[in-house]
Amino acid sequence: EFLGIYPLAFLNLLSSVFYFYFLFIKKDTSERSMAATYFEILIFSFLSELALGTGYGFFLYMIGLSSAVFYLVPSYGSVRFIYQLVGIGAAFLLKCLLMIAKISFPDIQEAALPYQTIFYMVNLGITATIVLASTFFYSKEMEEAWETLRYNMNHDVLTGLYNRRFFERQIEKVPLSEREQYVISMVDIDFFKVVNDTYGHEAGDEVLVMVASCLKDAAGQENLAVRWGGEEFILYFPRTTPNKVYPVMDELRRRIEGTTVKTAGKEIRITITGGIATGMADSNYEKVIRSADEKLYLGKKGGRNQIVM
């Protein structure tokens, strides 16, 4: 009496071999394999539901995976909608065959009937797990993508320092009437073009990263280290005075002067020049930056490797 169940058992064996091949032999978890798995499950579910009839829960896979495919193959873009349509179309066709055409396989259905509830509950649980897991991982990836986007919006990609846009937004948030005295120091790497021309742009990038690391240490937790553009940087010190900032900047200058960047078998030594300007409560920060830049220029004219206050 179990002769009628053999085709379905063979179908299940083929499905198991398919998963075993991808997971344990080929060890392929690429999106192409995920797409192949999606269609294999659709075919398996279609044939199982068609053979057993309604009430076994195989139909749930077709519906659940039509949403999960968006996580399984994210880089397939609009093709995923086609996959969805195939899944939904297959589900619609299946119901038409079962309810309108009234196709049935009595021998298989009779043999499987004692296990109907178990099949349904297991298939419901697996489908729910697939949908929940896909939703969870998709949401997690989206959160990570947004975090990366927010980071890149506020930071310089190469050095990890805050970028110009972030710095301007932070200062503009504080009304002029509420600003306390602050100090801005503009810093420039001496002869940076010579470094690029002599050692190459990769070496130049390593120099920028080294200087940025020193700037970040000098800024600490209370202040902002900003890559202003090219080889120019800004250190922003709120609620302080130039006399307190100057020792910090001069220590930064001496630290960079004593640091060697080793790249491609070469040792590169560089220096910085900086200018310090004070912003009062009602100061326009752009004017303060220009003042710091003017003092930086004086330092360049005066021989470089110095901080001008």
Side-chain angles (χ1 to χ4, degrees):
E1 64 179 3
F2 291 98
L3 183 62
I5 206 73
Y6 284 169
L8 198 60
F10 181 70
L11 176 65
N12 187 66
L13 177 63
L14 285 180
S15 182
S16 299
V17 169
F18 178 87
Y19 298 135
F20 184 83
Y21 172 73
F22 274 107
L23 290 176
F24 299 104
I25 298 178
K26 196 174 182 182
K27 296 182 180 179
D28 186 358
T29 57
S30 65
E31 290 186 67
R32 186 176 180 180
S33 296
M34 293 299 101
T37 301
Y38 169 73
F39 285 108
E40 191 279 333
I41 293 175
L42 285 183
I43 294 170
F44 173 79
S45 302
F46 184 96
L47 295 177
S48 296
E49 186 87 359
L50 186 65
L52 294 171
T54 59
Y56 288 84
F58 289 100
F59 181 80
L60 297 171
Y61 289 124
M62 305 174 73
I63 301 300
L65 282 172
S66 293
S67 60
V69 71
F70 270 76
Y71 171 74
L72 295 173
V73 288
S75 65
Y76 275 46
S78 59
V79 177
R80 294 179 298 176
F81 288 102
I82 298 176
Y83 291 173
Q84 267 199 326
L85 289 175
V86 170
I88 293 170
F92 182 78
L93 174 62
L94 176 63
K95 285 304 178 183
C96 287
L97 292 174
L98 290 174
M99 300 176 69
I100 299 175
K102 297 187 182 300
I103 293 178
S104 64
F105 298 87
D107 291 342
I108 297 177
Q109 292 170 2
E110 183 180 354
L113 187 61
Y115 312 102
Q116 184 180 49
T117 301
I118 295 175
F119 268 112
Y120 184 85
M121 295 306 295
V122 169
N123 289 337
L124 176 62
I126 293 174
T127 303
T129 301
I130 291 172
V131 173
L132 289 174
S134 299
T135 303
F136 171 77
F137 288 115
Y138 185 75
S139 299
K140 188 175 180 181
E141 285 192 1
M142 288 299 295
E143 288 175 8
E144 290 175 354
W146 276 110
E147 279 298 318
T148 301
L149 180 62
R150 279 192 289 267
Y151 180 87
N152 290 337
M153 285 177 62
N154 295 328
H155 294 79
D156 174 64
V157 176
L158 175 64
T159 64
L161 298 182
Y162 290 113
N163 58 28
R164 184 171 184 164
R165 188 186 304 112
F166 175 82
F167 172 72
E168 290 174 341
R169 283 202 310 267
Q170 290 299 110
I171 286 195
E172 288 170 357
K173 283 180 183 179
V174 184
L176 289 176
S177 59
E178 297 180 13
R179 287 183 190 163
E180 301 178 43
Q181 180 175 324
Y182 58 91
V183 174
I184 288 178
S185 179
M186 177 77 79
V187 174
D188 184 271
I189 300 174
D190 297 328
F191 300 111
F192 184 70
K193 186 176 184 303
V194 175
V195 173
N196 277 333
D197 293 343
T198 305
Y199 302 102
H201 289 282
E202 288 187 8
D205 287 348
E206 291 188 38
V207 168
L208 288 170
V209 171
M210 183 275 288
V211 171
S213 177
C214 295
L215 285 164
K216 194 180 297 184
D217 290 342
Q221 298 295 321
E222 301 296 325
N223 312 303
L224 292 181
V226 181
R227 186 178 181 189
W228 193 245
E231 67 271 26
E232 287 187 327
F233 302 87
I234 276 181
L235 280 168
Y236 171 69
F237 299 88
R239 299 178 299 278
T240 190
T241 63
N243 289 333
K244 291 181 179 178
V245 169
Y246 182 83
V248 175
M249 295 304 301
D250 198 51
E251 171 62 27
L252 170 67
R253 179 194 63 78
R254 286 188 278 110
R255 177 181 174 185
I256 291 174
E257 183 183 22
T259 301
T260 300
V261 176
K262 296 180 180 179
T263 176
K266 305 290 185 179
E267 292 188 354
I268 305 173
R269 290 185 177 274
I270 53 102
T271 59
I272 61 169
T273 301
I276 295 175
T278 306
M280 305 306 290
D282 58 350
S283 297
N284 183 316
Y285 76 91
E286 292 176 338
K287 291 182 179 179
V288 180
I289 291 174
R290 281 196 295 272
S291 176
D293 194 37
E294 289 168 0
K295 292 177 180 179
L296 167 62
Y297 181 70
L298 290 176
K300 292 281 190 180
K301 288 184 65 177
R304 296 180 170 82
N305 191 23
Q306 58 184 295
I307 305 297
V308 178
M309 186 169 66

